[in-house]
Amino acid sequence: MSFKLSLENKVAVVTGGSRGIGRAIALEFAERGAAVVVNYNSSPDAAEEVVKKIQEAGGKAAAFKADVSDFKQAESLVKFAVDTFGDLSILVNNAGITRDQLIMMMPETDWDAVINTNLKSTFNCSKAAVKHMMRKRTGRIINMASVAGQMGNPGQTNYSASKGGQIAFTKALAREVAGRNITVNAIAPGFVDTEILDAMSPETLEAALKLVPLGRKGKPEEIAFTAAFLAADGAAYITGQVLGVDGGMAMM
Ligand code: NAP
């Protein structure tokens, strides 16, 4: 028997689905048959545009505002998915921010904002999702980490710590919930062509790309395809893994 890369009859929540990588994942999942909750925080128009695109193509989607760094709002996001589409089979913890600065100059508020948005959100949403998935004895959780969490990056102590934390979280939770047929994996993208890279100067980006054996930035769609692979039935025996999609930057 060969597996298809289909997500028919699945319900997915994509945090930060309004822009960049999350947007590409929402579109990819919907194209493969999943009903998708497109979570956003500050970009309602962008989220509605993703929903409209999916619906016009005959798919199912709904937008939901939640600041996923807030425990209660994360809970309400998962509840919305179950109430609207009757299930939650796939959670993608994708929402993320950067606040780059050398540690000597980094304000405490930038440390807290990055850790809360990138890492605490992963706990918040996973906790709510696992409650539902445990009962159903099936589920997929995909955490959007980064090469920065594997290799470290100067000027990104906060971001690297949040992404390294997501990787460790992935492994611990994978062991906790494997008995209930729930898989938990991480994707570690390298430099991917989204607005998050706007914070880097062109010179820094050019220097950074010299570290990429494939010699280019990744496309959001390439990360989205990886997420679809991890979410599909054929990936049921993969858990606790970190899949690098980085042009060969971090060969672990
Ligand atoms: P992006 O284009 O800046 O998009 C970030 C997304 O996160 C937006 O949809 C944003 O939604 C959402 N978001 C931010 N704070 C949020 C919050 N508190 N609650 C809910 N949603 C929130 O960034 P991206 O490049 O697509 O990054 C997506 C993920 O990939 C991040 O976790 C990032 O760390 C990771 N990553 C990216 C790269 C890269 O090179 N692009 C590399 C490695 C890892 P609103 O606009 O609605 O607030």
Side-chain angles (χ1 to χ4, degrees):
M1 172 199 153
S2 68
F3 288 104
K4 301 273 177 292
L5 223 161
S6 163
L7 300 178
E8 287 295 336
N9 303 318
K10 314 265 191 214
V11 178
V13 167
V14 182
T15 71
S18 51
R19 297 186 292 111
I21 292 171
R23 176 182 188 274
I25 293 173
L27 295 173
E28 173 87 29
F29 279 18
E31 201 177 311
R32 295 184 183 278
V36 183
V37 174
V38 179
N39 160 248
Y40 68 95
N41 186 34
S42 56
S43 308
D45 295 347
E48 284 305 340
E49 186 265 334
V50 177
V51 168
K52 196 163 157 238
K53 206 165 167 179
I54 291 171
Q55 288 172 342
E56 280 173 1
K60 287 190 208 157
F64 189 81
K65 176 175 166 58
D67 172 354
V68 287
S69 68
D70 180 272
F71 187 74
K72 288 260 178 297
Q73 292 186 46
E75 267 187 338
S76 64
L77 169 63
V78 167
K79 185 173 183 306
F80 175 80
V82 176
D83 290 350
T84 307
F85 295 119
D87 194 10
L88 173 59
S89 16
I90 308 161
L91 167 67
V92 185
N93 286 308
N94 165 79
I97 57 167
T98 55
R99 294 282 185 276
D100 298 353
Q101 193 60 268
L102 297 173
I103 193 165
M104 294 298 285
M105 260 93 78
M106 185 180 290
E108 185 188 359
T109 46
D110 282 358
W111 171 270
D112 289 346
V114 169
I115 297 293
N116 289 340
T117 305
N118 301 3
L119 180 57
K120 183 161 185 277
S121 66
T122 302
F123 164 77
N124 291 344
C125 295
S126 300
K127 184 174 163 75
V130 156
K131 205 165 144 193
H132 177 81
M133 290 173 177
M134 292 279 244
R135 275 198 299 271
K136 303 234 10 184
R137 294 186 168 266
T138 183
R140 296 290 161 86
I141 297 176
I142 299 166
N143 297 322
M144 202 55 65
S146 167
V147 279
Q150 297 171 304
M151 300 169 69
N153 218 6
Q156 289 197 321
T157 49
N158 50 3
Y159 185 75
S160 301
S162 74
K163 295 297 169 179
Q166 272 186 316
I167 289 172
F169 176 93
T170 298
K171 294 175 186 177
L173 185 60
R175 290 186 190 277
E176 259 183 56
V177 297
R180 295 292 177 110
N181 200 33
I182 301 166
T183 70
V184 189
N185 291 290
I187 298 175
F191 295 104
V192 180
D193 201 0
T194 71
E195 288 168 22
I196 214 170
L197 295 187
D198 293 351
M200 290 173 87
S201 72
E203 300 76 46
T204 312
L205 185 58
E206 200 187 315
L209 287 176
K210 292 210 169 82
L211 302 173
V212 182
L214 284 174
R216 66 168 175 86
K217 285 184 271 187
K219 301 175 187 142
E221 294 76 16
E222 290 169 328
I223 311 300
F225 182 79
T226 309
F229 161 71
L230 287 171
D233 287 346
Y237 202 52
I238 302 174
T239 198
Q241 302 303 308
V242 184
L243 202 41
V245 190
D246 60 5
M249 246 180 114
M251 299 192 188
M252 307 308 282

